[in-house]
């Protein structure tokens, strides 16, 4: 049951992040870019879908590989160099892909530059959010381990205390020469 709740929680967090990274830009900047274009808006949405797929690849590459392997293992310079290299490669590939969809006339350069700047912003945001998600999950895991260790420590304290009190009670019964003493020793051994 706990594994199911954890899996649902993880899926929920990822869904909210993707809602933020994919849907919010369509509602905020897409109308501006589409309005500034001379060409049909379908090309923008094709490029937006392409950049979204690239964004998913960047997010999970950073989430599963780069951030845990480099940043969390004190190889921060390597991490930032790889992140910068990834962003540069993606920007170059996006520029090449955009050349297939858009003509490079002076009039249409504004939507393209806004789109590239916006894509770079989304990539940097994906790097940040995926890293923050890794840190959050590690924090949750360490907090769970800390709580389990605390419970184990408390259980270890209770057992000797319980035994001490029980033996004191039996000792008092023996001093009174009570018939219940033998029964209490039997229960304790059980």
């Amino acid at each position: 049951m706990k594994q199911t709740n954890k899996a649902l929680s993880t899926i929920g967090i990822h869904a909210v992040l993707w809602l933020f990274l994919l849907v919010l830009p369509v509602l905020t900047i897409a109308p501006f870019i589409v309005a500034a274009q001379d060409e049909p808006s379908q090309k923008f949405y094709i490029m937006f879908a392409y950049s979204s797929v690239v964004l998913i690849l960047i997010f999970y590459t950073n989430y599963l590989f780069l951030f845990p392997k480099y940043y969390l293992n004190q190889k921060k310079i390597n991490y930032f160099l790889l992140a910068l290299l990834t962003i540069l490669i993606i920007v170059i590939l996006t520029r090449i892909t955009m050349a297939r969809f858009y003509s490079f006339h002076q009039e249409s350069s504004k939507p393209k530059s806004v789109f590239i700047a916006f894509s770079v912003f989304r990539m940097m945001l994906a790097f940040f959010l995926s890293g923050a998600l890794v840190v959050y999950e590690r924090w949750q895991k360490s907090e769970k381990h800390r709580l389990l260790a605390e419970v184990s420590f408390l259980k270890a304290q209770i057992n000797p205390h319980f035994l001490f009190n029980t033996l004191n009670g039996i000792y008092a019964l023996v001093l009174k020469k009570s018939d219940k003493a033998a029964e209490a020793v039997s229960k304790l051994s059980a």
Side-chain angles (χ1 to χ4, degrees), residues 12-82:
I13 289 171
H14 283 254
V16 168
L17 285 175
W18 285 115
L19 186 69
F20 177 72
L21 285 171
L22 297 178
V23 175
L24 188 64
V26 171
L27 299 176
T28 57
I29 198 165
F32 167 74
I33 293 176
V34 171
Q37 290 179 347
D38 305 345
E39 303 169 17
S41 63
Q42 182 180 14
K43 290 182 181 181
F44 167 77
Y45 290 108
I46 291 171
M47 284 304 301
F48 189 79
Y50 164 80
S51 70
S52 297
V53 169
V54 169
L55 194 67
I56 291 169
L57 291 173
I58 288 172
F59 183 91
Y60 286 107
T61 299
N62 191 50
Y63 174 75
L64 298 171
F65 177 69
L66 291 177
F67 199 83
K69 183 173 177 146
Y70 293 103
Y71 191 85
L72 294 179
N73 288 326
Q74 304 306 321
K75 297 177 184 177
K76 293 178 181 172
I77 293 174
N78 292 348
Y79 170 76
F80 285 114
L81 289 175
L82 286 170

Side-chain angles (χ1 to χ4, degrees), residues 20-21 55 116-126:
F20 177 72
L21 285 171
L55 194 67
I116 288 175
F118 184 63
S119 294
V120 170
F121 171 74
R122 286 176 65 208
M123 284 186 272
M124 292 170 59
L125 190 61

Side-chain angles (χ1 to χ4, degrees), residues 164-174:
F164 178 76
N165 285 342
T166 304
L167 287 174
N168 272 341
I170 292 172
Y171 178 70
L173 290 174
V174 168

Side-chain angles (χ1 to χ4, degrees), residues 68 72-73 133-143:
L72 294 179
N73 288 326
L133 187 58
V134 170
V135 169
Y136 174 73
E137 288 173 351
R138 294 254 174 130
W139 173 77
Q140 271 190 329
K141 192 175 183 181
S142 68
E143 189 66 19

